[in-house]
Amino acid sequence: MMIELKNIEKYYANKGVKSYILRHITTSIKQGEFVSIMGPSGAGKSTLLNILGMLEEPTYGDYEFMGENVLSLNERKRIDLYRSHIGFVFQAYHLIDEMTVAENIEAPLLYKKIGSAERKSRVADILDRFSMVAKRDLFPNQLSGGQQQLVGIARALVAQPSIILADEPTGNLQSVQAIQIMELFKRLNEEEGMTIIQVTHSEINAGYGSRILHLLDGIIKEDVNLK
Amino acid sequence: MFRINLKIAFRNIWKNRLTASIKLFGLIAGLASVVLLVAYVLFELSYDRHNLNADRIYRLHVVQTDGENESIHMPSGMVEMMKQEIPEVEEGTYLSIYETPIQVDRNMFKVKILRTTASFFDLFTVPLKEGADRNTVLKEPKEALVSAAFAKQAFPGQSAIGKTISLNLNSTPYLISGIIGDIPKASHFHGDILVKSNLKQVVNWRGYTSAPQYILLKKGTSPATVLAKMKSLYKKYQFPEKIALKLMPLTDIHLHSHTSGELEPNSDIKYIYIFSIVASLILLIAVVNFINLTVAASLKRSKEIGVKKVLGASMQQLKVQFLSESYIYFIAATFVVFLIIMDLIPLLGNRLGINITFSEVFNLKMIGISLTIIVLSGFIAAFYPAMVLSRMMPADTLKGYTGHIPGKGGFKKFLVVFQFAISALLMVCTMVIYSQLKYISNKNLGFDKDQVLVTSYNMLDNRFTGFKEALLKEKGVKSLSISTFNPGVSYGGTSSWTNDGDTTKYEMEMVYCDLDFMKTLDIKVLKGRSFSEATPAELKAFNTEGQGLTEKQQRELEMRNPILLNEAAAKSLNIKNVDTLLLAGGLQGKVIGVVTDFNGMSLHNKVKPVALYLQPKTTSGYTYVKMETDDLPATRKTIEALWKKHFPDVVTEFQFLDQYLEKLYVSEMRLGSIFIVFAGMAIFLCCIGLFGIVYYELEQKTKEIAIRKVLGASLNDLLTLMNKNFVIMVLIANVIIWPIAYLLINKWLSTFYYRISLSYWPFVWAMLICLVLTILTVSLKALSTIKKSPVDTLKYE
């Protein structure tokens, strides 16, 4: 099992009143699944994704990632685990404005302390695969939204993660570009067996995946298997 | 990794050129001030340390065991006596130094003549460069050693050795036998010409010499041992009661000795502390500025930080990135500082009235200390932002500008308050120092110091009458007088006595002057008559030449010589009526009037009782010329020309009395100069820092401002909104420093007997200046944001 969540809770205590974001989340995700998390605004989708991505900690509960108890790990080990397994894709792309396309893609490899030669070849590879070689020295603000998101995905993939976490990856894109991105995810999932978890509002996008978790007021209301 | 970080750092700096240059400029200004003050403080601390035996050399002081008086005036021969009696005393010498103009080949030079003994070279490290032999030097009475600088000036292009110079009129000229290296600036004495002294070497407490005496102790001897042995010698050498010897370490003289007879004006360790504190405060402001600007800038970079964390950057890696970014600034600033400091040091020296060049303060120690300070402050300035920034949570920061400002709360406010507190403190101090200096220069001293020229001390002869007559005929010359009064230094003489059957000790300063003294210096007579109104009978004693009077008759006449007292003297002697005969100790004559308490000495001290003695025929002393003219320089030239005509063989120097008196307050004026520069620097840095903070705050509040505008807020409302917090912080900063400033400045003022009363105005002014500058800075920056159309701003949100 890749991901095991047991009784995850997240709340903010404000003047003694707890406001819950997530309640009693218990589920597991296998290697090779393409999961879409759906639900209305404020249902806790992004928070759940952030917890899965180790960007946030739950207030309570157990989280096992590939057999490791994430919450009991120290900062360094968690970063190691994170670096080698998780790639993140954002709705707002979140490219670093001061870096060129190639540098943005290279950044995670730097943090993984991968040698210069290998970095260059991996970046070249992925640029080639995404047909963006010509854009390698442009800065993010010189690209269209769809292109920026492609760079975002390339950046997530370059470190060869076992799982991609995507927070509304097509939310800022026009429909044609959105379809391209979803097709790309589907190919990655089916051809390379990449595990993908995405947060989305769109039934169409969710249709590309293999499983849907419906969230409402922090609780999993429905767990639908599409296959 | 490092390369890409560096690259990003530079791209970031370029992208935020304005704030980056503010940051860099502030840092340069701050660090330059600090390095400058470090250089100056080290210079002051290096006094006399160039002497190889510095740690074994002591100057002899005498102290009153029951009082505070400390003096370097004592009988001559003390050194010889100690050498004989105390085996631990290896060598000794004394320095008698006076400044005088001399003439070499029709050229005039103002030189310092240093009379000393051959042992001078055993104590002080002054290299013999040419000529003279170490073993025979200063053995001949008419032998002179000149400094290399003087030799070059006086005998350009030729060797000075073998030439002769005359130091006094009508006396045998001195033969130059050698050339000595120049004495470093950081020495408590200087001399251009060294000649052998002929001071008597016997301890006799009836006569004092003003030449300070120095001893060199044998290696490993503590001064306490010597003092202990001295105790048993007090009786043998008839030391007056309650007088003890004190050994002042050579290297302490410049900063710790404050006797009245110092060879050159000394500095004070107090000022070294003050300057060090000012330097630390400026450094603190610069560091705080840097922190403020860096943290404020981080708002813009929260996304970058979040993304990097998501990409797998550890806190450590981010810290390294931000540290290295900060270091880029520090390294750049350090380079610039060391480039400009070469020009700044002479500039500072100029302000302080000391002539120092870069090479004189530039040494390994100075570089070492400066660099250490820079590296340490750089570490602090870089570390805090790095810590704050790397701690930001990615999930928070990725949501964009959600109002999460690192250090928004207490700490940032504290830093701003702290900066303004320092600025306000320095401003209050500066204003009080300057008001006191202004008070000093405007204070009615009881005599008129404007448009008065004063000469150096001269012993003239009967040609003086001719000179006086010729001078008074000149247009613009009002009056002329000669007297023993040397403003700020001495009245001429002191007399102290105890009356029979009266235990009160009287002390009286004595001025010996001619008839026109009151008129020339415009000293008001409060009661009775001035000297010029003395009756012929009262002046009779001065006109008895050739009348064959016996000594007794002459003495009787002299006891009726006219005397004027100042108010303090009249009070101390309890004299209510003029025209009374006075027979008190050294004070014998007829009091014909009481004059105002004219204040001829430093305003640090209270006016002493002064008696003025008439000597209508005197031709020795300081000549005063009162002018009344619109063209002072021209009149001064005429006077100098007349002097040359009448006394071709007597060189003298004319100085304006007001400027002459200003020299009494050299260290206070230095303090003022330093404060005004660095208080200005502090407030300037504060404003720069504020500008940066406001810049980023506005960027964050763009949306808020737009919304408020849509809701109908006016320009004024928005400016008030932006200014409110800063104004409150500035007010707090000012109020906090009030008690501190009050205590400090009162302490400083209390060193003056005559001083301004501390008013609330400096405090009010400092606060107003802070407020105006703050509001200006904030509003200037805010206006551009406020003027933006809310449509543009809100569109992107």
Side-chain angles (χ1 to χ4, degrees), chain A residues 47-85:
Chain A
T47 308
L48 181 57
L49 195 74
N50 283 341
I51 289 175
L52 288 171
M54 304 173 199
L55 300 182
E56 265 182 82
E57 286 187 5
T59 325
Y60 182 81
D62 280 329
Y63 174 19
E64 271 187 25
F65 185 86
M66 303 185 87
E68 296 241 39
N69 188 343
V70 174
L71 304 178
S72 67
L73 293 178
N74 64 25
E75 165 98 12
R76 200 173 54 80
K77 285 203 173 138
R78 197 160 65 230
I79 284 184
D80 277 345
L81 189 66
Y82 177 90
R83 276 179 190 155
S84 37
H85 294 294

Side-chain angles (χ1 to χ4, degrees), chain B residues 594-652:
Chain B
V594 175
V595 299
T596 54
D597 274 341
F598 67 101
N599 208 327
M601 300 295 137
S602 165
L603 293 178
H604 282 293
N605 305 314
K606 196 182 167 193
V607 172
K608 289 181 178 167
V610 178
L612 295 110
Y613 258 87
L614 181 63
Q615 285 186 331
K617 288 179 175 170
T618 184
T619 55
S620 295
Y622 302 85
T623 306
Y624 291 82
V625 184
K626 168 74 182 172
M627 297 170 284
E628 218 172 45
T629 172
D630 294 328
D631 191 359
L632 279 175
T635 316
R636 178 181 176 161
K637 271 208 183 100
T638 319
I639 295 168
E640 281 170 343
L642 268 175
W643 179 280
K644 250 186 194 154
K645 192 176 150 204
H646 284 85
F647 307 105
D649 52 344
V650 185
V651 278
T652 196

Side-chain angles (χ1 to χ4, degrees), chain A residues 185-202:
Chain A
F185 274 0
K186 195 177 163 75
R187 262 205 324 276
L188 282 170
N189 176 248
E190 287 175 355
E191 291 168 17
E192 296 177 27
M194 177 74 70
T195 315
I196 296 173
I197 304 176
Q198 67 165 346
V199 165
T200 184
H201 271 116
S202 147

